[in-house]
């Protein structure tokens, strides 16, 4: 029968709908559009393709001269603007802060028809290295409280452009979702003296039921209380609260796991739409014993409906252990 499972890091409940669960291969996407690799390598109408560069928006490019491999550009329609002071205003129930911050786009590759699962190890490492360098640069701004890095792939994940890209944003507040996760992690630490993420990771490694791929430095696993099919976390084995304190020597190991996870998603699930999100401690909060940075990978294979909106409890029509086994094969 179905069961409710709780994610002990977030204290969120999910329903694993065993009686109506689908086999993992049933989530293989029936695509209306070509696979990423089947698109042409260049789109003359794409603003991120070679030859269409909007140089007035460019922040950096790698390498700095010659043909570029990656580019950082300011978002043409930014949600936030990096000029002016941070002004707070309180008037009764009306509370506002001026829209200060950064909103940049990382163009991950010159080719229009690639994605993380199709890139080489070195190309994925370069993407992660830019996450690290740009996040560190934004963190030096005293007006910034949180760095948010994410990637939308496919229309169902919210991507408006097909060219491989990520977005890097910096905001003058700590979002409530981040604060909630930190508070739950601190509560677990106060009760047990342990990091809840380290506890989860140790349990996953010991049971070896939901691990998809691992190396000496990082582990990728489908969550015990996955809120949707194939919902994965990638955690470092070494406890660290901030991604931006990562040693650059560790980027190779992270690139290995990231590439392997997305390679398997691409080929086993037929290039699904997905979101990739970095979860890291706020910019001004020091290293601590209770929070642990990670990457969340959410393939968009199911929908939120009325029950989820009304209860905050997701119904997962898949078995996490079966999903992990499907990707391991």
């Amino acid at each position: 029968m179905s069961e409710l499972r709780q994610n002990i890091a977030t204290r969120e409940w999910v329903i694993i709908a065993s009686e109506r669960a689908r086999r993992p291969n049933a989530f293989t996407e029936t695509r209306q559009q070509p696979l990423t690799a089947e698109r042409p390598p260049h789109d003359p109408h794409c603003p991120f393709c070679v030859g269409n560069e909007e140089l007035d928006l460019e922040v950096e490019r790698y390498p700095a001269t010659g043909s570029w491999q990656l580019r950082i550009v300011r978002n043409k329609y930014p949600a936030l603007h990096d000029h002016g002071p941070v002004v707070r205003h309180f008037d009764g129930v009306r509370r506002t802060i001026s829209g200060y911050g950064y909103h940049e786009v990382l163009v991950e590759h010159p080719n229009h028809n690639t994605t993380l699962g199709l890139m080489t190890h070195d190309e994925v490492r370069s993407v992660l290295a830019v996450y690290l360098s740009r996040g560190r640069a934004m963190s030096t701004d005293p007006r910034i409280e949180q760095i948010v890095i994410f990637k939308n792939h496919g229309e169902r994940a919210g991507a408006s452009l097909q060219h491989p890209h990520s977005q890097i944003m910096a905001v003058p507040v700590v979002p409530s979702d981040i604060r909630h996760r930190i508070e739950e992690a601190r509560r677990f630490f106060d009760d047990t003296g342990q990091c809840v993420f380290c506890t989860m990771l140790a349990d996953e490694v010991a049971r070896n039921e939901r691990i998809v791929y691992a190396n000496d430095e990082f582990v990728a696993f489908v969550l015990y209380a996955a809120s949707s099919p194939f919902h994965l976390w990638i955690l470092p084995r070494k406890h660290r609260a901030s991604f931006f304190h990562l040693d650059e020597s560790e980027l190779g190991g992270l690139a290995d796991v990231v590439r392997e996870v997305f390679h398997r998603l691409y080929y086993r699930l037929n290039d699904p739409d997905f979101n990739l999100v970095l979860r890291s401690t706020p910019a001004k909060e020091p290293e601590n014993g209770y929070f642990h940075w990670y990457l969340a990978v959410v393939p968009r294979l199911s929908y939120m409906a009325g029950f989820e909106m009304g209860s905050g409890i997701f119904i997962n029509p898949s078995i996490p252990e079966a999903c992990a086994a499907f990707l391991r094969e």
Side-chain angles (χ1 to χ4, degrees):
M1 64 184 292
S2 297
E3 65 178 2
L4 279 81
R5 294 184 180 184
Q6 188 182 48
N7 181 326
I8 63 168
T10 64
R11 296 182 66 84
E12 295 169 338
W13 289 95
V14 302
I15 296 174
I16 306 299
S18 305
E19 293 185 357
R20 61 180 184 180
R22 299 159 61 187
R23 293 178 181 272
N25 59 7
F27 291 98
T28 300
E29 288 283 79
T30 301
R31 300 187 62 84
Q32 305 299 318
Q33 297 182 351
L35 298 171
T36 295
E38 295 171 348
R39 298 199 299 256
H42 183 271
D43 180 349
H45 304 293
C46 173
F48 295 158
C49 276
V50 175
N52 299 337
E53 295 92 342
E54 296 177 275
L55 297 179
D56 60 319
L57 297 175
E58 186 168 284
V59 177
E60 289 181 349
R61 64 169 57 194
Y62 306 89
T65 59
S67 299
W68 59 269
Q69 182 63 37
L70 304 98
R71 295 176 70 233
I72 290 285
V73 298
R74 292 185 297 277
N75 194 301
K76 191 172 183 178
Y77 306 102
L80 301 164
H81 295 271
D82 59 350
H83 54 267
V86 174
V87 179
R88 298 173 183 266
H89 181 73
F90 303 95
D91 181 14
V93 299
R94 294 181 291 275
R95 178 178 297 185
T96 63
I97 301 177
S98 53
Y100 180 84
Y102 298 85
H103 191 173
E104 297 180 353
V105 178
L106 166 58
V107 184
E108 300 170 353
H109 201 280
N111 288 351
H112 189 75
N113 62 341
T114 192
T115 185
L116 290 173
L118 301 175
M119 294 181 191
T120 66
H121 175 273
D122 288 345
E123 289 169 343
V124 175
R125 187 190 183 284
S126 295
V127 170
L128 298 171
V130 175
Y131 288 176
L132 191 62
S133 64
R134 290 306 300 158
R136 285 174 173 172
M138 292 176 184
S139 297
T140 63
D141 186 332
R143 293 163 289 187
I144 293 303
E145 298 289 341
Q146 185 73 45
I147 310 298
V148 182
I149 298 178
F150 62 97
K151 177 178 174 63
N152 303 331
H153 174 79
E155 185 176 349
R156 286 169 63 180
S160 57
L161 293 171
Q162 293 181 330
H163 199 105
H165 68 284
S166 305
Q167 298 187 57
I168 306 173
M169 297 184 66
V171 296
V173 297
V174 178
S176 59
D177 183 66
I178 296 291
R179 184 59 68 197
H180 166 75
R181 292 166 192 270
I182 291 172
E183 289 172 353
E184 292 299 338
R186 184 184 287 120
R187 182 178 292 112
F188 187 92
F189 186 84
D190 289 344
D191 290 344
T192 68
Q194 299 177 22
C195 164
V196 65
F197 301 95
C198 289
T199 301
M200 290 175 68
L201 183 58
D203 185 75
E204 292 294 345
V205 170
R207 294 178 185 273
N208 199 28
E209 295 175 323
R210 289 170 293 274
I211 291 178
V212 173
Y213 185 76
N215 59 27
D216 290 342
E217 297 169 296
F218 298 89
V219 179
F221 59 92
V222 176
L223 290 170
Y224 167 74
S227 58
S228 59
F230 297 93
H231 185 163
L232 293 127
W233 280 5
I234 299 173
L235 262 71
R237 293 181 188 265
K238 181 179 180 180
H239 178 88
R240 188 179 281 118
S242 175
F243 169 78
F244 304 107
H245 293 168
L246 187 73
D247 191 296
E248 291 187 16
S249 65
E250 299 173 88
L251 284 173
L254 181 57
D256 174 49
V257 174
V258 168
R259 182 184 182 279
E260 190 66 35
V261 164
F262 284 104
H263 185 82
R264 294 175 188 223
L265 288 173
Y266 184 94
Y267 285 104
R268 299 243 64 190
L269 295 176
N270 208 23
D271 188 17
D273 295 354
F274 66 81
N275 297 104
L276 169 66
V277 180
L278 170 68
R279 302 286 192 183
S280 183
T281 195
K284 295 178 183 176
E285 296 192 13
E287 286 294 322
N288 56 65
Y290 49 85
F291 198 73
H292 193 126
W293 77 265
Y294 62 94
L295 292 172
V297 181
V298 186
R300 291 301 178 182
L301 302 169
S302 60
Y303 294 93
M304 177 188 290
F307 177 77
E308 286 83 356
M309 295 179 66
S311 67
I313 299 174
F314 283 80
I315 299 176
N316 185 350
S318 69
I319 309 299
E321 293 75 18
C323 290
F326 182 74
L327 292 180
R328 279 198 307 269
E329 292 173 357

